[in-house]
């Protein structure tokens, strides 16, 4: 009897330079069948990247759908197309890996927020809202790719100012803060989906070769830097989050390190603050109203 394929819906898995791509590359080389629904900005280039893997198309299926995470209306369209493609099939894993590093000079049209915040957090938080009914029915696992940078946000009162378009905040500050708010979201969703879904954040470690800093002139992280890891090792860390089941009793311990341990609450940079989570984790309707996404 043929095995039933597991279905993974993913962002940030479109490039050979991405940990997300490397993670799915491992799965696509296994004997267990998988169906992948990938939201990608450049479908042509991504099709070529996966085609180069020469995977067994009789066993695995890779579907590419257009997705620009700086466009909330496009996120809604992606969610609708994903649900149509799924039909009665369930989502086994929602894998949220997409991230960018940019300065605060630009943001999506009509939004007060900078692009780094919208891509790294808001759009993917909105995507969970849009897929919520299917995720609950599927009892899906939600894997949010995070970063140790969440510890580098000493002043939470700066979030409202720094993350806006034109704030002048350094890109490093924006990355730290956008990933911190993303972790607030992982906590919040774990609370909201308690009893139906497993939600966790995971760090791949410091991976210089992901291409995440490609938009920055004159900055290229090096493998010579302390704690730098190759792509394959980072992918292995992310893949561990797909099956990790020894969840701590404390629900606030949501963060899985790149070496496979659950960080204690005191290491989470204050992200366990439920009032802060509630402030930044807007409802679907609040996001649509604030960002001008008409229904």
């Amino acid at each position: 009897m043929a095995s039933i394929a597991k279905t993974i819906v993913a962002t940030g898995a479109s490039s050979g330079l991405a940990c997300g791509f490397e993670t799915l590359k491992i799965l696509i080389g296994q004997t267990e069948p998988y169906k992948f629904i990938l939201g990608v900005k450049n479908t042509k280039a991504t099709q070529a990247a996966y085609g180069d893997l020469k995977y067994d198309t009789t066993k695995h299926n890779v579907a590419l759908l257009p997705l620009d995470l700086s466009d909330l209306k496009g996120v809604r369209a992606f969610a609708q197309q994903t649900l149509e493609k799924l039909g009665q099939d369930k989502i086994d894993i929602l894998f949220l890996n997409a991230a960018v590093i940019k300065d605060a000079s630009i943001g999506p049209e009509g939004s007060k927020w900078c692009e780094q915040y919208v891509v790294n957090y808001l759009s993917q938080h909105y995507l969970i809202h849009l897929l919520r009914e299917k995720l609950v029915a599927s009892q899906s696992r939600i894997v949010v790719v995070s970063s140790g940078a969440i510890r580098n946000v000493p002043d939470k009162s700066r979030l409202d100012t720094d993350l806006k378009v034109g704030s002048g905040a350094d890109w490093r500050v924006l990355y730290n803060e956008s990933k911190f708010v993303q972790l607030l979201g992982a906590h919040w969703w774990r609370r909201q989906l308690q009893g139906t879904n497993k939600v966790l954040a995971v760090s791949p470690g410091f991976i210089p070769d992901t291409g995440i800093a490609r938009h920055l002139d004159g900055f290229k992280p090096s493998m010579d830097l302390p704690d730098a890891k190759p792509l394959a090792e980072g992918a292995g860390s992310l893949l561990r989050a797909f099956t990790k089941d020894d969840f701590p009793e404390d629900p606030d311990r949501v963060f899985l390190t790149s070496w496979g341990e659950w960080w204690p609450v005191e290491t989470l940079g204050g992200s366990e603050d439920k009032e802060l989570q509630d402030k930044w984790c807007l409802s679907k309707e609040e996001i649509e109203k604030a960002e001008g996404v008409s229904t």
Side-chain angles (χ1 to χ4, degrees):
M1 182 176 177
S3 300
I4 298 174
K6 288 186 176 180
T7 300
I8 297 176
V9 176
T11 67
S14 61
S15 167
L17 291 175
C19 266
F21 178 89
E22 284 293 316
T23 302
L24 300 193
K25 178 180 173 181
I26 294 171
L27 294 177
I28 217 167
Q30 296 180 353
T31 56
E32 183 179 3
Y34 284 92
K35 293 179 182 177
F36 301 100
I37 299 176
L38 310 181
V40 302
K41 197 168 184 178
N42 187 330
T43 55
K44 184 176 181 180
T46 305
Q47 186 68 58
Y50 279 90
D52 288 343
L53 297 180
K54 309 297 183 186
Y55 63 90
D56 186 349
T57 56
T58 65
K59 185 176 299 179
H60 306 294
N61 179 267
V62 178
L64 306 179
L65 298 177
L67 175 62
D68 180 352
L69 286 167
S70 67
D71 176 8
L72 273 292
K73 292 179 181 178
V75 174
R76 188 179 62 188
F78 168 74
Q80 292 170 342
Q81 292 170 8
T82 295
L83 292 172
E84 290 170 3
K85 184 164 284 292
L86 284 166
Q88 297 302 309
D89 293 344
K90 68 177 185 176
I91 300 173
D92 291 283
I93 297 172
L94 177 61
F95 180 42
L96 301 175
N97 179 65
V100 297
I101 292 179
K102 292 185 176 182
D103 62 31
S105 62
I106 59 172
E109 183 177 356
S111 178
K112 66 180 180 180
W113 303 109
C114 70
E115 185 172 345
Q116 189 166 179
Y117 168 78
V118 173
V119 171
N120 294 2
Y121 169 64
L122 186 62
S123 285
Q124 296 180 88
H125 176 67
Y126 182 47
L127 179 60
I128 300 176
H129 276 302
L130 294 167
L131 297 177
R132 180 173 184 164
E133 186 175 340
K134 173 66 81 170
L135 293 169
V136 170
S138 303
Q139 296 188 335
S140 311
R141 177 178 292 239
I142 302 173
V143 177
V144 177
V145 179
S146 187
S147 167
I150 58 95
R151 296 170 294 176
N152 302 325
V153 184
D155 186 357
K156 313 303 187 286
S157 68
R158 294 289 311 171
L159 296 171
D160 287 290
T161 302
D162 291 342
L163 292 169
K164 289 179 179 174
V165 177
S167 70
D170 183 80
W171 63 264
R172 296 170 185 84
V173 171
L174 296 176
Y175 184 73
N176 297 344
E177 292 182 346
S178 65
K179 298 302 280 188
F180 176 79
V181 178
Q182 179 202 45
L183 185 58
L184 292 176
H187 281 287
W188 189 83
W189 278 113
R190 179 178 276 197
R191 287 164 51 204
Q192 299 301 310
L193 302 176
Q194 184 179 7
T196 57
N197 299 81
K198 293 178 178 177
V199 182
L200 69 156
V202 60
S203 171
F206 175 47
I207 316 295
D209 293 333
T210 61
I212 192 173
R214 61 188 177 276
H215 300 291
L216 300 175
D217 293 333
F219 178 78
K220 189 179 188 316
S222 167
M223 282 296 296
D224 295 330
L225 294 171
D227 300 323
K229 298 179 180 180
L231 271 174
E233 188 173 343
S237 297
L238 298 185
L239 193 60
R240 188 184 294 120
F242 286 22
T243 56
K244 187 83 167 174
D245 274 328
D246 62 338
F247 288 84
E249 290 186 11
D250 185 348
D252 287 333
R253 295 183 64 189
V254 70
F255 191 105
L256 184 65
T257 66
S258 61
W259 54 93
E261 297 178 1
W262 297 99
W263 257 351
V265 173
E266 56 267 23
T267 314
L268 299 180
S271 62
E272 73 280 3
D273 185 331
K274 292 176 177 55
E275 288 187 10
L276 206 55
Q277 294 166 20
D278 291 341
K279 173 183 176 179
W280 285 93
C281 296
L282 303 180
S283 70
K284 172 179 171 290
E285 292 73 23
E286 288 171 329
I287 293 171
E288 291 174 344
K289 181 179 179 180
E291 300 300 314
V293 184
S294 59
T295 55

